[in-house]
Amino acid sequence: MQPDWYETFFTALPNEFWRRAAPDPQDDIAFLTARLDVPRGARVVDVPCGSGRHSLALAALGYRVTGYDISQEAIDHARRRAAEAGLDATFRRAEMRDLPPSRDADLALCLGNSLGYLPEPGLHDFLAAIAGTLRPGGGLGLDFNATAESVLPGLSGETRAMHAGDISVEASAQYDVLGSRLLSHYRFQQRDAVVEATALHHVYTCAHLIALLEAAGFADVRCYDGLSGEQFRLGAGRLVVTAVRS
Ligand SMILES: C[S@@+](CC[C@H](N)C(=O)[O-])C[C@H]1O[C@@H](n2cnc3c(N)ncnc32)[C@H](O)[C@@H]1O
């Protein structure tokens, strides 16, 4: 498994599946902007923004958004959607560890279970980079489905079948014990087109993530069980974190 697998994984078919299958972003936006007290018109950085799921919805609400993503296909899609909808949002192709240190954003987002792509030194660099986009007092909102607390209690190696319109997907997960990594094997099919690819999430405990966030200059780190508002717990499927740039 190449450590930079994400440079080639996020092509048209996997991206199109995610565009069809991903949940509506409005609940994430409502939860995070309320918890972090971020008014409309505020400056938002969304990284990795993918095809603009949250960025486009935020721009439609009047936020001033810049989205960064490594996938040119996703960035092109987001730009097209913004142009079609007449939205004023900026999308740039960038590696998530290499963000302009503008220190002026009011809110930074990392959503769609994108935090675990990098091993710890890379995650450390990403958290420093995203902290560098925020003004002091700016908020961070992120989610992660691959904490040890989420992955290990319920991991099954069974193949799951998913569908989104004419795209069908078979997915199976495997836990690499010595590397503390979750390998997700996918077979995407749309008519004659087939893409087989493996995604990798480095698995971190919740406490470890809190420590990494604090080391990167974040305070008031709060860990939720999804969007329930309740504290994160063993077996919860999705960790949602809010934090404030010191
Ligand atoms: C599952 S998508 C989530 C996108 C978006 N946040 C959402 O919730 O819809 C993951 C995205 O991370 C991007 N990505 C993966 N590794 C990256 C990296 N090292 N730097 C920048 N973007 C990266 C991929 O190109 C992909 O668009």
Side-chain angles (χ1 to χ4, degrees):
M1 183 88 194
Q2 293 293 324
D4 53 0
W5 62 274
Y6 44 77
E7 290 186 8
T8 51
F9 180 93
F10 295 97
T11 52
L13 187 46
N15 285 353
E16 180 57 25
F17 175 71
W18 180 245
R19 288 191 279 268
R20 294 182 189 187
D24 185 288
Q26 300 295 348
D27 289 347
D28 289 348
I29 291 170
F31 183 86
L32 294 170
T33 56
R35 296 271 157 180
L36 292 162
D37 197 15
V38 188
R40 292 185 186 199
R43 233 175 246 284
V44 182
V45 168
D46 180 16
V47 53
C49 63
S51 304
R53 188 165 64 105
H54 295 88
S55 292
L56 293 163
L58 283 159
L61 291 170
Y63 291 90
R64 291 173 292 158
V65 187
T66 304
Y68 298 95
D69 200 282
I70 204 167
S71 164
Q72 190 65 54
E73 197 274 347
I75 289 292
D76 289 344
H77 183 94
R79 286 179 177 155
R80 269 197 312 278
R81 287 273 316 280
E84 284 161 12
L87 295 173
D88 187 12
T90 302
F91 294 100
R92 300 207 190 290
R93 180 166 189 267
E95 153 63 41
M96 62 201 285
R97 286 164 283 185
D98 189 16
L99 306 172
S102 58
R103 299 191 177 279
D104 62 356
D106 303 296
L107 174 66
L109 299 174
C110 176
L111 296 169
N113 193 23
S114 308
L115 195 66
Y117 298 150
L118 302 168
E120 188 170 338
L123 178 55
H124 180 273
D125 291 348
F126 168 60
L127 294 177
I130 202 164
T133 68
L134 284 166
R135 65 168 171 79
L140 173 72
L142 61 84
D143 69 3
F144 191 41
N145 298 0
T147 59
E149 291 83 354
S150 289
V151 169
L152 299 180
L155 189 70
S156 120
E158 285 171 18
T159 300
R160 282 188 304 144
M162 298 176 279
H163 299 275
D166 63 352
I167 302 178
S168 57
V169 182
E170 288 175 4
S172 63
Q174 180 191 355
Y175 188 67
D176 165 20
V177 174
L178 296 185
S180 299
R181 307 183 309 174
L182 182 67
L183 304 174
S184 302
H185 307 293
Y186 293 101
R187 183 178 190 277
F188 299 90
Q189 178 154 21
Q190 186 178 36
R191 298 183 290 277
D192 294 342
V194 174
V195 171
E196 293 193 30
T198 297
L200 169 61
H201 284 91
H202 295 271
V203 173
Y204 298 97
T205 63
C206 189
H208 197 164
L209 286 178
I210 294 170
L212 289 171
L213 284 162
E214 289 175 347
F218 290 99
D220 196 13
V221 181
R222 298 182 189 211
C223 296
Y224 297 102
D225 173 358
L227 302 179
S228 68
E230 303 293 320
Q231 186 179 288
F232 187 59
R233 60 180 174 79
L234 186 66
R238 183 188 190 210
L239 168 67
V240 171
V241 175
T242 60
V244 175
R245 175 83 173 96
S246 303

